[in-house]
Amino acid sequence: MTLHMQKALFLDRDGVVNKDKDYVHRIKDFEFQEGIFDLCRMANHQGYLIFIITNQAGIARGYYSERDFILLTKWMLNDFRREGCFVSKVYYCPYHPEYGNEKYKRVSAFRKPAPGMILKAAKRFEVDLASSLLVGDQETDIEAGINAGIGKNFLLYNPEKKKQSMDSRAIGIKSLQEVVSFLALENKIES
């Protein structure tokens, strides 16, 4: 890692930052995942930039608008700040290859499993992807991390997801606290 390159923590939104309740787009339905603030405070303390990368097919499907998403995102980021966490940027993909109107129905390099959102963050913020981490709750999250060259990819197990399977290239976890413990151990090793 060169001196100007930074490490980053990439987080999926639905299922990692908040509990996945299918197309969450209203504040009243948004429930932060247990341990998310502890994880982000620890990552910030250790010099990680934090990025949220999220597919938002609900926009393409017409379930909610980009404006709805942006309003919820501003509210979410305010809660992160109140909790002493700094998120560098939220990247989202409103496109879907099969659903949506002409504006949103298309293949996009930003829709996970494609690594577009990660690569855009890496370029803009000079991120060393090999020294970075990703936490997702779906195989598409892990594939995006691997496709981008992220060093450690964590797959958060969600017992409510019927189709979730463990990607052998991911580090399986049952809670965000396991990533906090990983960061604490990494910090001891570097000290």
Side-chain angles (χ1 to χ4, degrees), residues 61-89:
R61 291 172 180 260
Y63 298 159
Y64 50 93
S65 68
E66 280 192 81
R67 184 177 183 279
D68 294 331
F69 173 79
I70 290 166
L71 289 172
L72 178 61
T73 298
K74 286 180 180 178
W75 172 85
M76 175 189 74
L77 292 174
N78 281 334
D79 266 29
F80 271 108
R81 281 191 287 277
R82 267 195 294 278
E83 291 289 335
C85 306
F86 179 73
V87 174
S88 296
K89 184 112 173 108

Side-chain angles (χ1 to χ4, degrees), residues 111-122:
R111 182 173 170 76
K112 294 179 283 182
M117 290 185 279
I118 297 168
L119 297 176
K120 186 173 184 176

Side-chain angles (χ1 to χ4, degrees), residues 110-165:
F110 292 96
R111 182 173 170 76
K112 294 179 283 182
M117 290 185 279
I118 297 168
L119 297 176
K120 186 173 184 176
K123 184 175 181 181
R124 179 172 176 203
F125 291 87
E126 297 185 332
V127 172
D128 177 2
L129 292 171
S131 298
S132 296
L133 312 174
L134 176 139
V135 182
D137 72 324
Q138 296 189 53
E139 281 187 60
T140 52
D141 300 321
I142 302 307
E143 288 175 39
I146 290 166
N147 291 337
I150 289 180
K152 297 237 182 313
N153 295 276
F154 295 89
L155 182 63
L156 179 62
Y157 175 71
N158 180 347
E160 295 174 21
K161 282 208 178 198
K162 293 171 179 49
K163 295 191 298 184
Q164 189 181 38
S165 63

